[in-house]
Amino acid sequence: MTTQTAGDQQNLSEYNRSRTLQYLYHHGIASRAQIAQALHLTPAALSKISNHLLSSGAIIETGPLEGKGNRRSIGLAVNTGQYRVLGVKFARSLIQIGLFDLAGSAQAVWVDQATDYPTPAEAIDAVKQHIRAIMRQFTNIVAIGMAVPGPYLRSVGHTAVVSSMRQWREVNFKAEFEHAFDIPVIIEQDARAGALAQYLFDPQPRNENLAYYLLGEGIGLGVIDHGSVINGALGTATEIGHVSVDVHGIPCDCGNVGCLERYCSAVAIHDLLNEDRTIVPDSPALTHHEACIALFELAGRGDTRAQEIVRRIGTYVGYGCVTICNAFNPSRIVIGDIVAEAGEPLLDRVREVVRERVLPELVESTAIELSTLPTDAAVTGAAAVAIMYILDHPSRFFTPQTVHNATTNHNNQER
């Protein structure tokens, strides 16, 4: 016979609060009866859970709903406007900090150039100071999510390799940020953060088998399999940017050759444009993002050389999709970040490559599309990391005391 301890009961209560909160987050307004039925909870248990979440400010009542047999019930919804989170995105040359509500709506986004600082240590100090200034201005921020380049060694806190910016390998994100503020800081690999953003915020119906293919200054992949993020033993799973697509190809800083990111990342595209300055003459003076946009605009205006480069980039991006299909079998691959701004011509070539190289059954069951998240989606992924942590651990954030403090602070800001 097993005896259930108080700790077991507390863990079960927290688990069911999290399930209830996540159900409402993903489904919108619902009645107590609908939630109880969906989560296989008794009405009494759901009533206790909902009362706790209501008293702590995690959820709100939205008014009467029409039920079966003209019965009326009260709707419940997540209180997404009561609290805020910060999302911080580190890229090779760019640092973004965004202020978000719990629905993932950006209230403000600040952009800084990492390359403006002589050392990573100075960039890190500047980020800390900026975060503290934001937190002084907005006192209802309850968590910070950070998205960092992969491969990110989760238990150690280092990024194992950052191509073209070796000095960033010395930064230990856990040591620098985990206890730097009075609120939780959750650090995640950038593509995995992007997958969480697609999972939480995409207006399309939620997909339990999703791959987010990040085409930025590096190439990354985040995979959600049956609702769970794939991490791997060290946190470096799904590191597609360092999968070789040419065994005799270009050497990579990781020690491999022919790595995917050496052919279709924003850095690789910028390098190509710098080698042949007749395509984008001012390329050396541009950022990686600006150089890519200049190329894509040329292609859109009918420049045949630019169109050929976009097609070649799409071919390599397609090779990555072939690997994603065969290795992870998602029902949906979402392509996002800088290189995705090449648009439909890139997507058409990617789909063409996949049709040529993947089993028909997989092709038919896999949707490949461009991200529909807003242009600041890079930092939105970091916010998603914080919000997912809150949904998983509601009692760490939602108590009667926190809702009182947040309401007081909000009223003070309004004045």
Side-chain angles (χ1 to χ4, degrees):
M1 181 176 178
T2 302
T3 302
Q4 188 180 52
T5 67
D8 293 333
Q9 293 174 347
Q10 184 176 358
N11 290 338
L12 180 60
S13 296
E14 178 71 343
Y15 172 67
N16 283 327
R17 288 172 196 148
S18 174
R19 291 174 67 212
T20 301
L21 202 56
Q22 293 196 41
Y23 179 86
L24 285 170
Y25 196 91
H26 291 300
H27 292 84
I29 299 172
S31 69
R32 289 169 175 80
Q34 289 171 327
I35 300 167
Q37 183 178 15
L39 301 183
H40 305 290
L41 295 169
T42 65
L46 196 281
S47 179
K48 184 177 181 181
I49 293 165
S50 61
N51 287 341
H52 181 279
L53 293 175
L54 282 165
S55 66
S56 66
I59 64 175
I60 54 175
E61 292 184 332
T62 61
L65 296 174
E66 289 291 341
K68 293 181 179 179
N70 291 325
R71 294 180 180 175
R72 299 177 72 82
S73 56
I74 301 298
L76 301 176
V78 176
N79 189 2
T80 57
Q82 186 70 60
Y83 305 101
R84 292 184 171 103
V85 299
L86 286 181
V88 183
K89 168 68 187 292
F90 287 92
R92 285 159 174 76
S93 62
L94 198 68
I95 300 170
Q96 292 174 286
I97 303 175
L99 179 70
F100 294 81
D101 65 19
L102 296 191
S105 298
Q107 315 294 297
V109 176
W110 299 268
V111 180
D112 204 358
Q113 297 292 329
T115 49
D116 287 346
Y117 299 95
T119 66
E122 291 174 85
I124 294 294
D125 286 342
V127 169
K128 289 179 181 177
Q129 291 176 30
H130 198 167
I131 288 173
R132 291 188 182 107
I134 295 170
M135 290 176 64
R136 285 193 295 270
Q137 183 179 0
F138 301 96
T139 52
N140 59 351
I141 297 170
V142 294
I144 300 170
M146 287 192 171
V148 302
Y152 177 65
L153 303 172
R154 184 187 300 256
S155 60
V156 179
H158 282 288
T159 293
V161 55
V162 183
S163 303
S164 75
M165 293 195 71
R166 293 171 181 259
Q167 66 270 33
W168 278 90
R169 298 188 206 181
E170 302 167 8
V171 176
N172 187 309
F173 290 97
K174 282 185 67 174
E176 290 287 353
F177 288 106
E178 206 166 56
H179 303 292
F181 312 101
D182 293 332
I183 58 177
V185 178
I186 308 93
I187 304 167
E188 185 57 274
Q189 179 247 32
D190 51 6
R192 206 165 289 138
L196 288 173
Q198 294 292 332
Y199 185 69
L200 289 180
F201 308 140
D202 195 310
Q204 294 192 31
R206 188 161 55 98
N207 193 296
E208 300 283 333
N209 295 281
L210 166 74
Y212 177 70
Y213 190 6
L214 182 151
L215 307 177
E217 293 184 341
I219 301 296
L221 177 68
V223 177
I224 295 176
D225 182 60
H226 289 84
S228 298
V229 177
I230 296 178
N231 292 309
L234 299 177
T236 65
T238 69
E239 190 53 51
I240 198 171
H242 294 287
V243 170
S244 180
V245 294
D246 184 353
V247 295
H248 303 293
I250 304 170
C252 181
D253 287 348
C254 74
N256 200 358
V257 296
C259 287
L260 184 63
E261 74 170 39
R262 300 294 289 123
Y263 298 89
C264 57
S265 67
V267 174
I269 295 168
H270 199 179
D271 288 345
L272 176 66
L273 296 176
N274 286 341
E275 290 172 8
D276 183 355
R277 298 185 188 178
T278 63
I279 303 168
V280 180
D282 60 343
S283 174
L286 303 177
T287 66
H288 300 317
H289 192 177
E290 289 168 345
C292 289
I293 296 305
L295 174 68
F296 303 153
E297 288 178 350
L298 279 174
R301 293 199 298 266
D303 185 288
T304 54
R305 286 192 304 165
Q307 290 174 338
E308 179 53 37
I309 293 172
V310 169
R311 181 174 173 80
R312 192 190 322 162
I313 295 164
T315 299
Y316 284 108
V317 175
Y319 293 163
C321 277
V322 171
T323 298
I324 295 168
C325 289
N326 289 326
F328 303 106
N329 184 213
S331 58
R332 185 171 169 231
I333 300 172
V334 181
I335 301 173
D337 220 292
I338 296 171
V339 181
E341 293 183 54
E344 292 298 324
L346 178 90
L347 184 62
D348 289 343
R349 179 56 184 155
V350 169
R351 288 171 171 167
E352 185 180 341
V353 170
V354 170
R355 285 194 298 269
E356 291 169 354
R357 295 171 178 260
V358 174
L359 291 169
E361 292 86 352
L362 292 181
V363 173
E364 292 170 7
S365 64
T366 308
I368 303 175
E369 57 204 48
L370 301 174
S371 174
T372 58
L373 291 181
T375 53
D376 57 6
V379 73
T380 303
V385 171
I387 293 169
M388 192 60 130
Y389 186 81
I390 293 169
L391 295 177
D392 283 341
H393 307 89
S395 293
R396 297 187 188 182
F397 300 92
F398 301 113
T399 66
Q401 186 62 38
T402 59
V403 71
H404 169 75
N405 290 343
T407 302
T408 302
N409 291 331
H410 177 73
N411 290 338
N412 288 338
Q413 289 173 27
E414 289 296 317
R415 295 191 191 101

